[in-house]
Every structure is written in structure tokens, then in C-alpha cells.
Amino acid sequence: MTKHIGILTAGGDSPGLNAAIRGVGKTALGRYGMQVIGFLDGFRGLVDNRSIRLDSDSLSGILTKGGTILGTSRDKPHRMVFGGKKQDMTDVIVENYHANHLDALVCIGGGGTQKNALQLMQKGLNIITLPKTIDNDVALTDTTFGFDTALGIATDAIDRLHSTAHSHHRIIVVEIMGHRAGWLALGSGIAGGADVILIPEIPYRLETVSEAIRKRVQGGKKFSIVAVAEGALPEDQARLVNAARAAKDKATDKKNRKQAKQELSALEAANVNHTVSLSQQLETMTGLESRVTILGHLQRGGTPSAADRLLATRLGSACADLIAQEQFGIMVAARGDDAVAVPLRDVAGNKKLVPRNHPWLISARNVGTVFGDE
Ligand code: F6P
């Protein structure tokens, strides 16, 4: 019997999404004779029952395109603004899944999407996910598609900032995305030869950073590049944020949870412009001029790298194979050259952060990169 599958892309967009849609879709159509539809704008399209047919025409010519032909959103099934207020739309999603006679739903997304997908699985739907995000922070997969492209963009930016920092004898503080993980700042910082790299996993001391820059000046290097992850925090701030996060996770009743969430949001809001204030403080402490570059969404835009196209294609096509074998409740993860099925319940809610003993970190320290901690 023909299988009917739905595909959606959710969360922040990421280069390689179209390659993944094509990988799932072409394999499902061509190898297994399945019918494929794509829901628009993430989980929102599943609630509104807005979909398009994915056939060989619509799946052609999209491999090299950035963004997602399906559109995306950060809407969560259980907390979606609908009719002006936040509502749990999970039951509507279940209804629409059955109304479309789906045998499986493919959710392509990052950490948040894995959690949302698990909830739908717990409602009895046949769910299978793929890991995408430029942050590379999804648990149990070697890597996520989008990361390699963003890594290339951020590295190129650091390369370019070098010559202008050098000419003006300035510090340039470059802010790199990554949410609460440091993979993107660490990878591009190492590849681009940043002098200082600050990541969320290693709270930093401002004095250590400025001392490192002053030492470079004494050694005749009157410029410095500081690659800072958007989630990086100075030690004192990190202590407060970590305590607030722990309080939020521990809170059992609704009232305490709400209060803990508010405290955490206030701390996070206070940290929004931390890159600018870091730059200002370094200027004062070192006597060098300092400038800020925030790479922002440039890191997510444009054509995917060859490595991301390859990764998304092989995970996407393995996803269709797993659907044909009726394996559900799983994420298709990259493991070396293989694609392996990992239980969604082991992925959802777990973040892959940079471990202190990661080879990237060790090699960076060996070549003299400063992380602000020692
Ligand atoms: O998760 C990808 C990401 O680009 C993060 O690095 C960043 O923190 C976030 O999304 C930005 O989200 P938005 O596009 O919703 O502003």
C-alpha cells in the first residue's frame, strides 16, 4: 500500500534544509513510491492544514538553495498563539495528521523541534526527525546540517576582520551565533586564528582577556581579534544565570516556575548587549581602540556548503529508508559516514555542548589562543 508522508521544517532556518527535503522526498517518491506533502511554516502549517504536494517537479532545483521552500516558524504545538492567545494545539495537529492519511511525519529541526516532535510521538503519531541547526548543539549526532556553512561564513568574516584590525591597530570583537553552545565561535575562531575565543561553556574573566591583549601589544602586535559566542558570559554573570536555570528546572509548581522563568529572562535580557559592553571595557582596560561586528543572520543565509548538501542528502535519504522499514520515534543521526537511528526520547531536552577536553579546545590552547579562564 502506498505510504503517505508529511515533511515540515521548524525553528530557525539553516543552510541544507532544502537538500534534506529533497533527500527525503526524492527517495520516498522514487525508491518507495510514497506520496509526499510538505506542511508550510513549521508546526503552524500543520495546525492550519496548509500544505503543498512535493513531487519530482517541486523537489527539483532546490539542492543548492538556502532557506527552506516550506517556510519555517518557531511555533510550538503545545503553546501556539492562536485566536490572540497561547493555546495547546496538539490535538488539532493529531486530527490533521489523520485527515491527511499520513503514515509518518518528518520534522526537520534543531533542539526545540526535537522536543516538540517527542510530544507528538507521545500522542501516538509516527514521527521521525532530522537534525539541523547552525549551532551544532543537537545531542547524539556527530554534527547537524547548517553548521558547516555557518562555520565557513564566520571564518571568512574573521579573515576579513584581521586586515582592518591590523591596519588600524584595533581590537575587533566579533559576535558569533550559537545560542547556548560555543561550537560555531570555537570552530570559526580556531580556523580564523582569533586571538581570544569566548564561549558559553567557559565563563571568562575580563582581566584575563585584557591582560592577554596587553601582552600582545608588548610583543609588538597592536591588534587583536576576539571571537565571542552570543551566549558567552563573564564568570560572575555565569554563576547567576546558571543558578537561575537550575532554579527553573527544579521548580515543581506553576507559580515557582513562572517566577524562576522571569528571573532568568531578566538576567538574559541584561546580557543582550554584552558584546558591545565587552568591547567598551576592553578599550578602557587596554588603551586600544575597539570595534564590534555582529555577524547575526548572515551566518544562516545563502547557499549551503558542499559538506552540508552532502550531509542533508544522506540523512534525508536514510530517513526515507527508515520510514519504509516503519522505524519511528527516532532521529536520523550522523555517525561517521553512517546514518543511524537514535531514540527521540534520548535526544529531546539534551544539548550537545563543547566538553572541556574537546580536541578543538586542546589544540587551540596549544597554539596560544586565550579563552579568558586561565
Ligand atoms: O538556533 C539558530 C540560531 O541562529 C541561534 O544561533 C540564534 O541564537 C537564534 O537562532 C536566533 O534566532 P532568531 O532567528 O529567531 O532571531
Side-chain angles (χ1 to χ4, degrees):
M1 229 175 51
T2 309
K3 276 197 184 343
H4 291 78
I5 68 170
I7 306 180
L8 61 82
T9 53
D13 70 343
S14 183
L17 278 171
N18 289 324
I21 295 167
R22 174 179 173 272
V24 180
K26 284 204 167 189
T27 312
L29 292 169
R31 192 169 151 89
Y32 298 108
M34 297 175 188
Q35 298 273 332
V36 189
I37 59 172
F39 290 96
L40 303 177
D41 305 331
F43 293 103
R44 166 77 55 178
L46 199 47
V47 169
D48 299 338
N49 205 9
R50 282 183 292 120
S51 65
I52 55 169
R53 207 177 147 167
L54 294 174
D55 52 19
S56 53
D57 274 352
S58 51
L59 292 168
S60 272
I62 64 170
L63 173 66
T64 59
K65 290 206 167 108
T68 159
I69 57 161
L70 296 177
T72 187
S73 70
R74 291 204 182 271
D75 287 306
K76 299 179 174 70
H78 64 289
R79 239 173 343 120
M80 198 175 287
V81 178
F82 212 80
K85 55 178 181 170
K86 271 194 189 155
Q87 297 192 46
D88 184 347
M89 303 306 287
T90 315
D91 290 342
V92 178
I93 287 181
V94 173
E95 265 170 41
N96 286 338
Y97 175 96
H98 293 300
N100 283 288
H101 308 288
L102 294 185
D103 297 296
L105 176 68
V106 180
C107 304
I108 312 180
T113 303
Q114 309 301 328
K115 281 202 239 173
N116 294 325
L118 177 70
Q119 289 183 352
L120 297 183
M121 177 199 112
Q122 286 162 341
K123 287 276 178 180
L125 306 189
N126 291 334
I127 302 289
I128 182 161
T129 69
L130 289 172
K132 73 88 216 188
T133 166
I134 64 163
D135 304 338
N136 196 32
D137 60 352
V138 176
L140 299 180
T141 181
D142 287 356
T143 187
T144 55
F145 48 87
F147 176 63
D148 182 74
T149 308
L151 187 62
I153 295 169
T155 303
D156 180 58
I158 295 175
D159 288 349
R160 287 168 191 278
L161 292 171
H162 258 103
S163 58
T164 173
H166 185 266
S167 307
H168 285 267
H169 317 298
R170 282 174 174 160
I171 299 168
I172 294 195
V173 182
V174 51
E175 184 186 289
I176 294 159
M177 276 188 171
H179 198 221
R180 288 196 207 146
W183 294 107
L184 198 51
L186 178 63
S188 59
I190 295 172
D195 308 294
V196 178
I197 302 176
L198 305 176
I199 60 173
E201 294 85 346
I202 306 179
Y204 64 88
R205 283 191 290 272
L206 199 57
E207 184 49 48
T208 310
V209 176
S210 69
E211 177 58 23
I213 294 173
R214 283 196 297 265
K215 270 202 187 131
R216 278 176 55 79
V217 175
Q218 283 157 17
K221 292 180 177 150
K222 295 195 204 129
F223 76 96
S224 284
I225 301 287
V226 179
V228 54
E230 61 180 349
L233 291 166
E235 271 181 354
D236 49 349
Q237 193 72 10
R239 260 193 296 276
L240 294 175
V241 169
N242 289 338
R245 279 184 192 144
K248 190 187 120 210
D249 292 345
K250 253 197 242 150
T252 42
D253 61 88
K254 229 177 168 185
K255 195 174 149 226
N256 283 344
R257 201 174 156 74
K258 194 172 171 198
Q259 195 188 333
K261 260 187 169 174
Q262 279 169 349
E263 277 166 22
L264 180 59
S265 302
L267 282 170
E268 284 173 346
N271 206 44
V272 161
N273 289 322
H274 83 282
T275 305
V276 174
S277 87
L278 171 66
S279 165
Q280 286 164 346
Q281 284 169 299
L282 289 177
E283 192 165 275
T284 311
M285 292 168 90
T286 62
L288 291 177
E289 252 189 346
S290 182
R291 293 287 187 270
V292 171
T293 299
I294 296 178
L295 298 183
H297 292 81
L298 268 180
Q299 294 160 103
R300 287 201 335 224
T303 188
S305 67
D308 276 338
R309 295 179 205 180
L310 197 53
L311 177 66
T313 301
R314 68 185 178 86
L315 296 188
S317 118
C319 175
D321 291 339
L322 289 162
I323 295 171
Q325 294 160 24
E326 308 203 334
Q327 288 202 45
F328 303 117
I330 51 171
M331 179 183 81
V332 188
R335 193 71 45 79
D337 281 338
D338 291 332
V340 297
V342 294
L344 205 40
R345 62 177 82 249
D346 295 345
V347 178
N350 290 320
K351 261 189 193 310
K352 185 182 74 178
L353 299 175
V354 178
R356 291 272 181 155
N357 59 353
H358 194 275
W360 288 8
L361 264 178
I362 295 169
S363 59
R365 288 194 198 274
N366 285 345
V367 297
T369 312
V370 169
F371 287 88
D373 60 330
E374 46 185 47

Short mmCIF file of all heavy atoms in Angstrom, two decimals, residues 12 74 133-135 177-179 230 297 300, ligand 1:
data_model
loop_
_atom_site.label_atom_id
_atom_site.label_comp_id
_atom_site.label_asym_id
_atom_site.label_seq_id
_atom_site.Cartn_x
_atom_site.Cartn_y
_atom_site.Cartn_z
N GLY A 12 14.71 28.01 13.63
CA GLY A 12 15.45 28.93 12.76
C GLY A 12 15.88 28.22 11.48
O GLY A 12 16.19 27.03 11.51
N ARG A 74 8.91 29.46 14.65
CA ARG A 74 9.32 28.94 15.96
C ARG A 74 8.10 28.50 16.78
O ARG A 74 8.18 28.35 17.99
CB ARG A 74 10.13 29.99 16.71
CG ARG A 74 11.51 30.24 16.08
CD ARG A 74 12.47 30.80 17.09
NE ARG A 74 13.77 31.08 16.49
CZ ARG A 74 14.75 30.19 16.42
NH1 ARG A 74 14.58 28.97 16.88
NH2 ARG A 74 15.91 30.53 15.87
N THR A 133 20.79 22.62 12.44
CA THR A 133 20.98 23.92 13.10
C THR A 133 22.42 24.38 12.88
O THR A 133 23.34 23.55 12.85
CB THR A 133 20.71 23.90 14.63
OG1 THR A 133 21.25 25.09 15.21
CG2 THR A 133 21.34 22.72 15.36
N ILE A 134 22.58 25.67 12.73
CA ILE A 134 23.94 26.19 12.60
C ILE A 134 24.68 26.08 13.95
O ILE A 134 25.89 26.21 13.99
CB ILE A 134 23.98 27.65 12.11
CG1 ILE A 134 23.32 28.60 13.13
CG2 ILE A 134 23.34 27.80 10.75
CD1 ILE A 134 23.69 30.06 12.90
N ASP A 135 23.93 25.84 15.04
CA ASP A 135 24.54 25.82 16.37
C ASP A 135 25.29 24.51 16.66
O ASP A 135 26.10 24.46 17.58
CB ASP A 135 23.48 26.02 17.46
CG ASP A 135 22.68 27.30 17.27
OD1 ASP A 135 23.19 28.20 16.59
OD2 ASP A 135 21.56 27.37 17.79
N MET A 177 26.97 33.56 16.33
CA MET A 177 25.77 32.87 16.85
C MET A 177 26.13 31.54 17.49
O MET A 177 27.30 31.15 17.53
CB MET A 177 24.76 32.67 15.73
CG MET A 177 23.86 33.86 15.48
SD MET A 177 22.56 33.41 14.30
CE MET A 177 21.52 34.86 14.38
N GLY A 178 25.12 30.82 17.92
CA GLY A 178 25.35 29.50 18.51
C GLY A 178 24.44 29.20 19.68
O GLY A 178 24.55 28.16 20.31
N HIS A 179 23.56 30.17 20.02
CA HIS A 179 22.65 30.03 21.14
C HIS A 179 23.47 29.77 22.40
O HIS A 179 24.37 30.55 22.67
CB HIS A 179 21.61 28.93 20.84
CG HIS A 179 20.41 29.02 21.73
ND1 HIS A 179 19.81 27.91 22.27
CD2 HIS A 179 19.73 30.09 22.20
CE1 HIS A 179 18.79 28.30 23.03
NE2 HIS A 179 18.72 29.61 23.00
N GLU A 230 27.56 34.32 21.11
CA GLU A 230 26.47 35.15 21.63
C GLU A 230 26.07 34.75 23.06
O GLU A 230 25.57 35.57 23.82
CB GLU A 230 25.25 35.12 20.71
CG GLU A 230 24.65 33.74 20.56
CD GLU A 230 23.43 33.69 19.64
OE1 GLU A 230 22.90 34.74 19.29
OE2 GLU A 230 23.03 32.58 19.27
N HIS A 297 22.35 37.14 11.33
CA HIS A 297 21.69 36.18 10.43
C HIS A 297 22.42 35.94 9.12
O HIS A 297 22.05 35.03 8.37
CB HIS A 297 20.24 36.62 10.19
CG HIS A 297 19.42 36.50 11.43
ND1 HIS A 297 19.44 37.46 12.42
CD2 HIS A 297 18.62 35.51 11.88
CE1 HIS A 297 18.66 37.07 13.41
NE2 HIS A 297 18.15 35.90 13.12
N ARG A 300 23.28 32.44 8.68
CA ARG A 300 22.29 31.42 8.32
C ARG A 300 21.84 31.51 6.89
O ARG A 300 21.09 30.66 6.42
CB ARG A 300 21.06 31.59 9.22
CG ARG A 300 21.29 31.14 10.60
CD ARG A 300 20.07 30.81 11.41
NE ARG A 300 18.81 31.39 11.08
CZ ARG A 300 17.96 31.89 11.99
NH1 ARG A 300 18.29 31.90 13.26
NH2 ARG A 300 16.79 32.35 11.63
O1 F6P B 1 19.37 28.33 16.50
C1 F6P B 1 19.89 29.04 15.45
C2 F6P B 1 20.04 30.49 15.83
O2 F6P B 1 20.58 31.16 14.71
C3 F6P B 1 20.88 30.76 17.07
O3 F6P B 1 22.26 30.70 16.81
C4 F6P B 1 20.39 32.13 17.46
O4 F6P B 1 20.53 32.31 18.84
C5 F6P B 1 18.93 32.08 17.09
O5 F6P B 1 18.80 31.06 16.13
C6 F6P B 1 18.38 33.37 16.53
O6 F6P B 1 17.02 33.19 16.36
P1 F6P B 1 16.07 34.13 15.50
O7 F6P B 1 16.37 33.92 14.06
O8 F6P B 1 14.70 33.67 15.88
O9 F6P B 1 16.38 35.52 15.92
#
